[in-house]
Amino acid sequence: MSADPALRREIPDATVARLPEYLRTLSRLAEDGVPSVSSEELAAAVGVRSAQLRKDLSHLGSYGVRGVGYDVETLALEISRALGLTEDWPVAIVGMGNLGHALASYSGFVTKGFRIVALFDDDPALVGERVVDIAIRPLAELDDKHAVDPISIGVIATPAQAAQAVCDRLVGAGISSILNFAPAVLSVPAGVDVRRVDLSTELQILAFHAQRKALAAGHLGTAVVS
Amino acid sequence: MSADPALRREIPDATVARLPEYLRTLSRLAEDGVPSVSSEELAAAVGVRSAQLRKDLSHLGSYGVRGVGYDVETLALEISRALGLTEDWPVAIVGMGNLGHALASYSGFVTKGFRIVALFDDDPALVGERVVDIAIRPLAELDDKHAVDPISIGVIATPAQAAQAVCDRLVGAGISSILNFAPAVLSVPAGVDVRRVDLSTELQILAFHAQRKALAAGHLGTAVVS
DNA sequence: TCAACTTTGTGCATGGCTTCACAAACGTCT
DNA sequence: AGACGTTTGTGAAGCCATGCACAAAGTTGA
């Protein structure tokens, strides 16, 4: 059988979503020179239950030592491998307005596994400008295989109206992983992954809970007067 | 009993997370002059199953008409009320680097329910600068009740190291809804809601699936050779 | 008024995720 | 070497969310 459970078994989505958090915390521990952690300690640092952490990690394989815990460096490496961060993922950003600029300058990219290789925008005022040492190009060049390095992940930071058209072009260029910051639902063929990050959705969810708290604490006016 | 099921019953988190999407789509339909939609149509536009949409909406109350569908304007209003968007939520942004600037300029704020009332940063080079007609102030002024309007929601757009300290100040100032863009786990007292938006987490999840696709499509080397 | 058609709201079954609880496994100390 | 304390890995149970299928309720047309 395969030596690597991460490739053999199916890792639940809920687990995959937590792995980056584990990895971040482990990296910090490694920097601090901590050699090993128990599931209890790591779980507390991340804000989950220790049982959940152990079950999550069990999907990757068996990297803990009973009675001791997990070796920080080893576990960080295994999570990196499971997430695919041992290879380099070339990223392109489309839409270089305020958000696109902020994303390109964001330090989170360079740190591990991701590398920005291209910036696109059709606004003539932006084309040619250099951000983090990369020139902004018109989107049409995306299709030119000779002009553009291979791209694994496309980031959409355009206004909502343009998002679907940009998405279609990215998919047409063979990109099958898309991170969408535009407040729009994208339709893509099967096999293409889209993840959406939306500021106003998050704010609205916060508003819902804030309202609930306000109603519960203070004036539950209409609710109590049967 | 109460007339408003949204206040009476508990709405599942999974449903709350989808309501903003429904609302966005309904708003677009309303702009286009569409008077009513069936659950089938709306669900297709949002990308969910119609049964799920109906079950979600049933948690808010019974606003559909059998044989016809939902009145677009009415349903949009009811979702707005459930989410608490009929009131105004004053927002403060802390950390006015690239990301903070982009967020402040982001049009998603002004549209509905949210209003930026304060910008904070301790960098002397930034203090005093005006963004969207609001002056950036040092964080210390947050505690000065006379200098700052009431704030419902705090947005953290600082580097990770500063996030917990900023969070503590926000909580100290009575803010119980926080949107965190910094890659850090925040610990807060009970009753405070924190939602995190993290670029690198999203990229890493995409990388995981991209790796899976790459392995499945091409070289499934180690996996097949039992 | 009544029959035919459409669409909602929901009970029920299904599936996945989380939590519990404990046996197995490891290190340590005598 | 053997007993003891600690921590992992995992079966089992419980919980929440999703999807199915249909009765109830409404509209339309004759």
Side-chain angles (χ1 to χ4, degrees), chain A residues 89-93 109 113-115 117-118 150-156 170 175-179 193, chain B residues 202-208 210:
Chain A
W89 299 96
V91 176
I93 301 178
F109 269 114
F114 304 97
R115 191 168 40 93
V117 297
I151 296 169
S152 294
I153 298 176
V155 177
I156 299 178
L170 290 172
I175 296 170
S176 63
S177 299
I178 293 173
L179 184 53
D193 281 313
Chain B
E202 300 298 325
L203 284 174
Q204 288 174 16
I205 294 170
L206 280 176
F208 171 81

Side-chain angles (χ1 to χ4, degrees), chain A residues 67-163:
Chain A
V68 176
Y70 301 86
D71 180 78
V72 170
E73 302 255 8
T74 305
L75 187 54
L77 179 63
E78 289 304 329
I79 294 179
S80 290
R81 296 207 324 151
L83 286 172
L85 302 181
T86 47
E87 350 186 358
D88 223 52
W89 299 96
V91 176
I93 301 178
V94 184
M96 290 303 293
N98 280 311
L99 181 59
H101 268 84
L103 293 177
S105 313
Y106 181 58
S107 57
F109 269 114
V110 282
T111 40
K112 34 190 137 191
F114 304 97
R115 191 168 40 93
I116 301 177
V117 297
L119 304 175
F120 296 105
D121 202 307
D122 276 343
D123 183 348
L126 291 173
V127 170
E129 183 188 330
R130 296 186 84 84
V131 181
V132 291
D133 213 40
I134 297 172
I136 300 176
R137 294 189 265 180
L139 190 55
E141 291 192 22
L142 179 63
D143 301 316
D144 185 348
K145 304 294 181 199
H146 301 290
V148 180
D149 287 334
I151 296 169
S152 294
I153 298 176
V155 177
I156 299 178
T158 65
Q161 312 94 295

Side-chain angles (χ1 to χ4, degrees), chain B residues 23-108:
Chain B
L23 179 57
R24 192 196 318 282
T25 303
L26 284 167
S27 300
R28 212 186 52 222
L29 291 175
E31 277 175 23
D32 294 351
V34 177
S36 75
V37 275
S38 67
S39 62
E40 204 69 53
E41 295 165 334
L42 183 54
V46 175
V48 300
R49 306 270 173 195
S50 65
Q52 175 147 267
L53 174 61
R54 289 198 298 275
K55 182 147 290 187
D56 283 342
L57 296 183
S58 76
H59 288 115
L60 311 190
S62 190
Y63 299 112
V65 179
R66 294 171 192 231
V68 176
Y70 300 86
D71 180 78
V72 170
E73 302 255 7
T74 304
L75 187 55
L77 180 63
E78 289 304 331
I79 294 179
S80 290
R81 295 208 322 153
L83 287 173
L85 303 181
T86 48
E87 351 185 0
D88 224 51
W89 300 96
V91 175
I93 301 178
V94 185
M96 290 303 293
N98 280 312
L99 180 60
H101 268 82
L103 294 176
S105 313
Y106 181 57
S107 57

Side-chain angles (χ1 to χ4, degrees), chain B residues 112-136:
Chain B
K112 33 190 139 191
F114 303 97
R115 192 167 38 93
I116 300 176
V117 297
L119 303 175
F120 295 105
D121 202 307
D122 276 343
D123 183 346
L126 291 173
V127 170
E129 182 188 331
R130 297 186 83 84
V131 181
V132 290
D133 213 39
I134 297 171
I136 298 176

